[in-house]
Amino acid sequence: MSELKRRYAKIDRNTNETKISVELDLDGEGKAEINTGVPFMDHMLDLFVKHGLFDSKIIANGDTHIDDHHTTEDLGIVLGQVIREALGDKKGIKRYGNAFVPMDDALAQVVVDCSNRPHLEYGVEPQLTQKVGTFDTELVHEFLWKFALEARMNVHVIVPYGHNTHHIIEAIFKALARAIDDAVQIDPRVKGVPSTKGLLT
């Protein structure tokens, strides 16, 4: 990466509900330091960093005595903002990324476009159980929706089958990481930004 500007960003976001700090290097080795106060999200974000080969520190302190909603939602917001900032002008990137990840009984596909046109398609066919441990599984959609909006990314999540809710969600987070890692890679054939508009910001 000696010829490439470091693609790193750090954002702190403080509200009356949460205090969140996220720093991320897109060109890392999968090193994670994570403490969000939501154990299931700690697990998912650790997988996300590891399988995306990012380096990231994610710290959150939220009103989890109420529930995990605000913290999970705001984590999606700040993580999306950090990735968008780390990408900069997006010159030379592949732009599109696609990944399939199996997790025992479950299969997840995530396709992303770093297009500056935020959109989430959440095509999870299996019925998720309401909770995994104490975590409300409806918050997976909330996290992904806010992430796509703030990263200004087109994100399609496709899960055609799966039985175990934990396995399904884990496959989604791993596939999201690998798809983003694919999309942000520098392609030496790309001159400027990969868009006929000449702009991806």
Side-chain angles (χ1 to χ4, degrees):
M1 303 305 300
S2 59
E3 298 179 0
L4 181 67
K5 180 181 176 182
R6 187 185 185 199
R7 300 190 297 172
Y8 164 90
K10 181 178 187 294
I11 291 178
D12 297 314
R13 184 178 189 268
N14 297 322
T15 73
N16 291 333
E17 297 168 341
T18 63
K19 293 178 174 57
I20 294 178
S21 177
V22 178
E23 53 186 294
L24 184 137
D25 190 333
L26 288 172
D27 304 300
E29 301 174 349
K31 297 176 182 176
E33 180 182 342
I34 298 169
N35 185 0
T36 70
V38 182
F40 188 74
M41 285 303 296
D42 286 353
H43 178 36
M44 293 301 108
L45 292 171
D46 186 50
L47 294 169
F48 175 82
V49 173
K50 181 69 173 180
H51 290 274
L53 293 173
F54 313 125
D55 289 341
S56 185
K57 181 177 181 180
I58 303 172
I59 306 297
N61 183 13
D63 55 2
T64 53
H65 60 285
I66 298 173
D67 64 13
D68 296 336
H69 184 105
H70 294 144
T71 300
T72 302
E73 177 182 29
D74 290 1
L75 283 165
I77 289 171
V78 182
L79 185 60
Q81 290 173 344
V82 161
I83 288 180
R84 182 184 177 195
E85 184 172 317
L87 269 173
D89 59 16
K90 302 177 185 174
K91 287 182 179 178
I93 67 167
K94 290 173 62 178
R95 175 177 168 175
Y96 301 99
N98 179 33
F100 288 89
V101 170
M103 179 66 190
D104 294 349
D105 54 284
L107 178 70
Q109 179 186 15
V110 175
V111 185
V112 302
D113 176 9
C114 301
S115 60
N116 203 40
R117 295 165 62 90
H119 184 81
L120 173 67
E121 282 294 328
Y122 186 72
V124 178
E125 293 296 327
Q127 181 69 42
L128 302 182
T129 59
Q130 186 175 355
K131 288 183 179 289
V132 174
T134 61
F135 182 79
D136 292 318
T137 58
E138 68 179 7
L139 295 178
V140 174
H141 180 277
E142 191 71 23
F143 172 89
L144 293 169
W145 175 38
K146 296 303 169 59
F147 172 83
L149 286 174
E150 297 297 332
R152 298 200 60 81
M153 219 178 260
N154 189 336
V155 179
H156 288 241
V157 177
I158 305 156
V159 181
Y161 53 82
H163 303 293
N164 183 282
T165 295
H166 187 133
H167 293 167
I168 291 167
I169 298 171
E170 183 166 328
I172 289 171
F173 272 82
K174 288 177 177 177
L176 177 66
R178 292 182 68 89
I180 292 171
D181 179 53
D182 186 23
V184 304
Q185 292 303 307
I186 299 297
D187 186 335
R189 298 171 299 173
V190 176
K191 308 305 177 187
V193 296
S195 171
T196 56
K197 297 177 182 177
L199 191 69
L200 283 176
T201 56

